[in-house]
Amino acid sequence: MEHWIRHLPKAELHLHIEGTLEPELMFELAKRNAVALRFGSIEEVRAAYQFADLQSFLDIYYEGAQVLLHEQDFYDLTWAYLERVQAQHVRHVEIFFDPQTHTDRGVPFETVIRGIHRALDDGERKLGISHQLIMCFLRHLSAEAAIATLEQALPFRDWIIGVGLDSSEVGHPPEKFVTAFARARAEGFLTVAHAGEEGPPEYVWQALDQLKVKRIDHGVRSIEDSALVERLRADAIPLTVCPLSNVKLCVYDTMEHHSLKELLNAGLCVTVNSDDPAYFGGYVNENFLAAHQALGLSKRELYRLARNSFEAAFLDDGSKETLIAELDTYVKSAAF
Ligand code: ADE
Ligand code: ZN
């Protein structure tokens, strides 16, 4: 079964590229860019990855990102991720980046996006992984700052499929960004938002009704509100769920208590993703395996999760059909 899961063709739709910064690369970039780190060794960095909640993670995640300064750094980060997930049979990726984490340190928007985009293009040509890029606004910063970031992105609009919302959720509800998201939609961007990770179901309602999102990132607390579950099901709004992240950040005390299976069996389009794999102990396959082991997911449920990852992707119907056909061929040949 483990082999079957590892080889399942899949897409990853919830992945922060800054969250793929492995300690080894952090040290290499710190040396290359003469950035001082407060950690003495790679082991010390890993030992610091014990989180009580989302904020305790974000503090260390923003700190780590300080080693990223030049276009080549963003290229190397993105390329390392693509090489890893190619080995995990990922066929399509939709990557988040947080421009404000870098522009607020004086790194130009253009430096960030050129490095990421060049690696994604190489990933398509050399590794056969298709891609989309989603720009996230940091919700702990102001709505005006989000609009200014949107304006910086306009010259690169062809490289960005949509905008999202991440960082500290509680106290920064989706409604704070209603104008920024309306402007983004008017400029032709699709919208997604982190909601219902630590925040209440009310934030998911706001993301749907006020930000007009096409997908909800996390959304696991939707299970607390049966009317919301029905809305997500009726409108076929996908949830990009990140099992290891939710346990690492104490949204659930154990994987056995995760709502993924319940959400899936309620008829929602649930997908499995890694969020910030360098920090949470695994890439997408480890998330599939951890959820499978703790929740006893059947092959049929695992197939559904992989299929959902293609159906929920921001791809045209033809591309989705090709990917689903590949999945079906795999499942048939592997004696489903
Ligand atoms: N930024 C990176 N990972 C995040 C998460 N899980 N929630 C909110 N913001 C994030
Ligand atoms: Zn996330």
Side-chain angles (χ1 to χ4, degrees), residues 48-80:
Y49 291 175
Q50 303 295 332
F51 311 115
D53 54 17
L54 174 58
Q55 193 59 51
S56 62
F57 154 68
L58 290 170
D59 292 343
I60 213 162
Y61 161 86
Y62 294 132
E63 186 182 343
Q66 290 174 16
V67 301
L68 298 161
L69 290 179
H70 305 295
E71 183 182 321
Q72 190 62 38
D73 304 339
F74 291 93
Y75 180 94
D76 292 346
L77 178 72
T78 309
W79 183 253

Coordinates of all heavy atoms in Angstrom, one line a residue, residues 48-80:
A48 N 14.6 23.3 16.8 CA 13.7 24.5 17.1 C 12.3 24.3 16.5 O 11.5 25.1 16.8 CB 14.4 25.7 16.6
Y49 N 12.2 23.3 15.6 CA 10.9 23.2 14.9 C 9.8 22.5 15.8 O 9.3 21.4 15.4 CB 11.0 22.5 13.6 CG 11.8 23.3 12.5 CD1 12.1 22.7 11.3 CD2 12.2 24.6 12.8 CE1 12.8 23.4 10.3 CE2 12.9 25.3 11.8 CZ 13.2 24.7 10.6 OH 13.9 25.4 9.6
Q50 N 9.6 23.0 17.0 CA 8.5 22.5 17.8 C 7.5 23.7 18.0 O 7.9 24.7 18.6 CB 9.1 22.1 19.2 CG 10.2 21.1 19.1 CD 9.8 19.7 18.6 OE1 8.6 19.4 18.8 NE2 10.6 19.0 18.0
F51 N 6.3 23.5 17.5 CA 5.4 24.7 17.5 C 4.2 24.4 18.4 O 3.7 23.3 18.5 CB 5.0 24.9 16.1 CG 6.1 25.0 15.1 CD1 6.3 24.0 14.1 CD2 7.1 26.0 15.2 CE1 7.3 24.1 13.2 CE2 8.2 26.0 14.3 CZ 8.3 25.1 13.3
A52 N 3.8 25.5 19.0 CA 2.6 25.5 19.9 C 1.3 25.9 19.1 O 0.2 25.5 19.5 CB 2.8 26.4 21.1
D53 N 1.5 26.6 18.1 CA 0.4 27.2 17.3 C 0.9 27.8 16.0 O 2.2 27.8 15.8 CB -0.4 28.2 18.1 CG 0.5 29.3 18.7 OD1 1.6 29.5 18.2 OD2 0.1 30.0 19.6
L54 N 0.1 28.4 15.2 CA 0.5 29.0 13.9 C 1.5 30.1 14.1 O 2.5 30.1 13.4 CB -0.8 29.5 13.2 CG -0.6 30.3 11.9 CD1 0.2 29.4 10.9 CD2 -1.9 30.8 11.3
Q55 N 1.3 31.0 15.1 CA 2.2 32.1 15.3 C 3.6 31.7 15.6 O 4.6 32.2 15.1 CB 1.6 33.1 16.3 CG 2.4 34.4 16.3 CD 2.2 35.1 15.0 OE1 1.2 35.3 14.4 NE2 3.4 35.5 14.4
S56 N 3.7 30.7 16.5 CA 5.1 30.2 16.9 C 5.8 29.7 15.7 O 7.0 29.8 15.6 CB 5.0 29.2 18.0 OG 4.3 28.0 17.6
F57 N 5.1 29.1 14.7 CA 5.7 28.7 13.5 C 6.1 29.9 12.6 O 7.2 30.0 12.1 CB 4.8 27.7 12.7 CG 5.0 27.7 11.2 CD1 6.2 27.2 10.7 CD2 4.1 28.3 10.3 CE1 6.5 27.2 9.4 CE2 4.4 28.3 9.0 CZ 5.5 27.8 8.5
L58 N 5.1 30.8 12.4 CA 5.4 31.9 11.5 C 6.6 32.7 11.9 O 7.4 33.2 11.1 CB 4.1 32.8 11.5 CG 2.9 32.2 10.8 CD1 1.7 33.1 11.0 CD2 3.1 32.0 9.2
D59 N 6.8 32.9 13.2 CA 8.0 33.6 13.7 C 9.3 33.1 13.2 O 10.2 33.8 12.7 CB 8.0 33.7 15.2 CG 6.8 34.5 15.8 OD1 6.2 35.2 15.1 OD2 6.5 34.3 17.0
I60 N 9.4 31.7 13.2 CA 10.6 31.1 12.8 C 10.7 31.0 11.2 O 11.8 31.1 10.6 CB 10.7 29.7 13.5 CG1 12.2 29.4 13.7 CG2 10.1 28.6 12.7 CD1 12.4 28.3 14.8
Y61 N 9.5 30.9 10.6 CA 9.4 30.8 9.1 C 9.9 32.1 8.5 O 10.7 32.2 7.5 CB 8.0 30.4 8.8 CG 7.4 30.6 7.5 CD1 7.6 29.7 6.4 CD2 6.6 31.7 7.2 CE1 6.9 29.9 5.2 CE2 5.9 31.9 6.0 CZ 6.1 31.0 5.0 OH 5.5 31.1 3.8
Y62 N 9.4 33.3 9.1 CA 9.9 34.6 8.5 C 11.3 34.8 8.8 O 12.0 35.4 7.9 CB 9.0 35.7 9.1 CG 7.5 35.6 8.7 CD1 6.5 35.7 9.6 CD2 7.2 35.4 7.3 CE1 5.2 35.6 9.2 CE2 5.9 35.3 6.9 CZ 4.9 35.4 7.9 OH 3.5 35.3 7.5
E63 N 11.8 34.3 9.9 CA 13.2 34.4 10.2 C 14.1 33.6 9.2 O 15.1 34.2 8.7 CB 13.5 33.9 11.6 CG 14.9 34.1 12.2 CD 15.0 33.5 13.5 OE1 14.0 33.2 14.2 OE2 16.2 33.3 13.9
G64 N 13.7 32.4 8.9 CA 14.4 31.6 7.9 C 14.5 32.3 6.6 O 15.5 32.2 5.9
A65 N 13.4 32.9 6.2 CA 13.3 33.5 4.8 C 14.4 34.6 4.6 O 14.6 35.0 3.5 CB 11.9 34.0 4.6
Q66 N 15.0 35.1 5.7 CA 15.9 36.2 5.6 C 17.2 35.8 4.8 O 17.9 36.7 4.3 CB 16.3 36.7 6.9 CG 15.2 37.5 7.6 CD 15.5 37.9 9.0 OE1 16.6 37.9 9.5 NE2 14.4 38.2 9.8
V67 N 17.4 34.6 4.6 CA 18.6 34.2 3.8 C 18.4 34.3 2.3 O 19.3 34.2 1.5 CB 19.1 32.7 4.1 CG1 19.4 32.6 5.6 CG2 18.1 31.7 3.7
L68 N 17.1 34.5 1.9 CA 16.8 34.6 0.5 C 16.9 36.1 0.0 O 16.2 37.0 0.4 CB 15.3 34.2 0.3 CG 15.0 32.7 0.6 CD1 13.5 32.5 0.8 CD2 15.5 31.8 -0.4
L69 N 17.9 36.4 -0.8 CA 18.2 37.7 -1.2 C 18.2 37.9 -2.7 O 17.8 39.0 -3.2 CB 19.6 38.2 -0.7 CG 19.7 38.4 0.9 CD1 21.1 38.8 1.2 CD2 18.7 39.4 1.3
H70 N 18.7 37.0 -3.4 CA 19.0 37.2 -4.9 C 18.1 36.3 -5.7 O 17.6 35.3 -5.2 CB 20.5 36.9 -5.2 CG 21.4 37.7 -4.4 ND1 21.4 39.1 -4.4 CD2 22.3 37.4 -3.4 CE1 22.3 39.6 -3.6 NE2 22.8 38.5 -2.9
E71 N 18.0 36.6 -7.0 CA 17.1 35.8 -7.9 C 17.5 34.4 -7.9 O 16.7 33.5 -7.8 CB 17.2 36.4 -9.3 CG 16.3 35.7 -10.3 CD 16.4 36.2 -11.7 OE1 16.5 37.4 -11.9 OE2 16.4 35.3 -12.6
Q72 N 18.8 34.1 -7.8 CA 19.3 32.7 -7.9 C 18.9 32.0 -6.6 O 18.6 30.8 -6.7 CB 20.8 32.7 -8.0 CG 21.4 31.3 -8.3 CD 20.9 30.7 -9.6 OE1 20.7 31.4 -10.6 NE2 20.6 29.4 -9.6
D73 N 18.8 32.7 -5.5 CA 18.3 32.0 -4.2 C 16.9 31.5 -4.4 O 16.6 30.4 -4.0 CB 18.4 33.0 -3.1 CG 19.7 33.6 -2.9 OD1 20.7 33.1 -3.4 OD2 19.8 34.7 -2.3
F74 N 16.0 32.3 -5.0 CA 14.6 31.9 -5.2 C 14.6 30.8 -6.2 O 13.7 29.9 -6.1 CB 13.8 33.1 -5.6 CG 13.6 34.1 -4.5 CD1 14.5 35.2 -4.3 CD2 12.6 33.9 -3.5 CE1 14.4 36.1 -3.2 CE2 12.5 34.8 -2.4 CZ 13.4 35.8 -2.3
Y75 N 15.4 30.9 -7.2 CA 15.5 29.8 -8.2 C 15.9 28.5 -7.5 O 15.3 27.4 -7.7 CB 16.5 30.1 -9.3 CG 16.6 29.0 -10.3 CD1 15.9 29.0 -11.5 CD2 17.5 27.9 -10.1 CE1 16.0 28.0 -12.4 CE2 17.5 26.9 -11.0 CZ 16.8 26.9 -12.2 OH 16.8 25.9 -13.1
D76 N 17.0 28.5 -6.7 CA 17.5 27.3 -6.1 C 16.5 26.7 -5.1 O 16.3 25.5 -5.1 CB 18.8 27.6 -5.3 CG 20.0 28.0 -6.2 OD1 19.9 27.7 -7.4 OD2 21.0 28.5 -5.7
L77 N 15.8 27.6 -4.4 CA 14.7 27.1 -3.5 C 13.6 26.4 -4.2 O 13.2 25.3 -3.9 CB 14.1 28.3 -2.8 CG 13.0 28.1 -1.8 CD1 13.5 27.4 -0.5 CD2 12.3 29.4 -1.4
T78 N 13.2 27.0 -5.3 CA 12.1 26.4 -6.1 C 12.5 25.1 -6.8 O 11.8 24.1 -6.8 CB 11.5 27.5 -7.1 OG1 11.3 28.7 -6.4 CG2 10.3 27.0 -7.8
W79 N 13.7 25.2 -7.3 CA 14.2 24.0 -8.1 C 14.3 22.8 -7.1 O 14.0 21.7 -7.5 CB 15.5 24.3 -8.8 CG 16.0 23.2 -9.6 CD1 17.1 22.4 -9.3 CD2 15.4 22.7 -10.8 NE1 17.2 21.4 -10.2 CE2 16.2 21.5 -11.2 CE3 14.4 23.1 -11.6 CZ2 15.9 20.8 -12.3 CZ3 14.1 22.3 -12.7 CH2 14.8 21.2 -13.1
A80 N 14.8 23.0 -5.9 CA 15.0 21.9 -5.0 C 13.7 21.3 -4.7 O 13.5 20.1 -4.6 CB 15.7 22.5 -3.7

